[in-house]
Amino acid sequence: MQTCKTLPPPALDARLAAAAAYVRHGGVAADIGCDHGKLAVSLVLGGQCKKVIASDLRPAPLEHARALAALHGCGRAVECRLGAGLSVLRPGEAQDIVIAGVSGITICEILDAAEADFFTAQPELRLVLVPASKHAALRLWLARHGFLLLHETPVCAAKRYYTVMHAAFTGAARTPTPLECAVGLAAHGPHAAGYLLRAAGDLEKQALGADGDEKSRLLALAADVRKEAQTCKKASL
């Protein structure tokens, strides 16, 4: 493995740092939609991964990632691939797949576009998902399509709240409750209360444009999420 003796690993924001923490040591990871390549380079330089497959749909960001890897002396361990979603991977190539920086809906579309046996053929595969928005929609899709949420890490980055999801495919599809979709496994940690209050606020904004039963449903759900946030606040005291 090539390493750089003079440059420190690229700094990761709270989202990417939490994503990196879910990547298992010693294997191969894939960073789908790698953008600048900071996560891929950091995983290699830190000795966490022996190889990272960094992909992007756009040539320009991929060139930036390639240049960053070369700058840090780890160009051989960071393999850059141009392509859409999981089409850049063969089953078994990576043990951990990170998808960050796009909406939850886009993540659903990326996963849905994979070959039929992509996940069933890889029981040890783990997903690390960092949705920029539509978190509840992503949780709903995962559950309905046989993915199990293993853990979540709510974080605050650039004064906004996000959650980083760790998931695996089990094939056991189910329909979660609305509260499960809204909260997931994010009701823990120092940023949980802030994250849940933001989720409740989003539901209340949706209710402003709704009528009748739908408005009542959204407001009731927002109230339940706020209760979860208050519980997290008390637990952190």
Side-chain angles (χ1 to χ4, degrees):
M1 181 189 302
Q2 289 180 303
T3 58
C4 180
K5 297 181 180 180
T6 56
L7 292 177
L12 303 180
D13 69 6
R15 288 173 294 175
L16 291 184
Y22 282 127
V23 175
R24 289 166 289 183
H25 285 256
V28 176
D31 184 6
I32 304 299
C34 65
D35 196 19
H36 40 55
K38 289 182 180 179
L39 176 62
V41 171
S42 180
L43 289 172
V44 169
L45 289 185
Q48 195 164 340
C49 294
K50 60 184 179 182
K51 176 182 176 180
V52 176
I53 299 166
S55 75
D56 206 284
L57 184 61
R58 302 160 297 167
L62 197 64
E63 284 305 314
H64 292 159
R66 186 177 285 111
L68 185 68
L71 178 66
H72 284 272
C74 56
R76 292 183 181 177
V78 176
E79 182 181 341
C80 294
R81 297 181 184 178
L82 182 66
L86 302 180
S87 67
V88 300
L89 297 176
R90 296 184 298 275
E93 274 197 296
Q95 291 76 55
D96 296 277
I97 296 177
V98 182
I99 307 176
V102 294
S103 77
I105 298 299
T106 300
I107 292 176
C108 295
E109 292 170 348
I110 289 172
L111 299 177
D112 203 32
E115 295 291 334
D117 63 344
F118 187 87
F119 297 107
T120 57
Q122 303 179 83
E124 298 303 315
L125 179 66
R126 297 293 178 267
L127 300 177
V128 182
L129 309 175
V130 193
S133 61
K134 304 295 183 182
H135 304 176
L138 177 55
R139 294 188 187 102
L140 176 61
W141 188 95
L142 289 171
R144 284 181 170 175
H145 289 79
F147 290 86
L148 174 68
L149 267 180
L150 304 171
H151 200 263
E152 289 190 48
T153 302
V155 298
C156 184
K159 299 181 179 180
R160 292 188 61 187
Y161 287 99
Y162 302 88
T163 189
V164 180
M165 304 179 186
H166 192 210
F169 181 77
T170 65
R174 69 185 188 91
T175 299
T177 68
L179 185 59
E180 285 180 286
C181 292
V183 175
L185 301 179
H188 69 94
H191 298 294
Y195 172 79
L196 294 176
L197 288 173
R198 192 216 69 172
D202 288 345
L203 287 165
E204 289 160 352
K205 288 179 182 178
Q206 292 176 41
L208 291 175
D211 296 312
D213 291 344
E214 178 64 6
K215 183 172 185 175
S216 298
R217 185 190 70 81
L218 289 169
L219 289 175
L221 179 57
D224 288 341
V225 175
R226 286 192 178 275
K227 289 179 183 177
E228 292 282 345
Q230 291 304 316
T231 299
C232 291
K233 276 187 176 181
K234 292 177 182 178
S236 64
L237 295 178

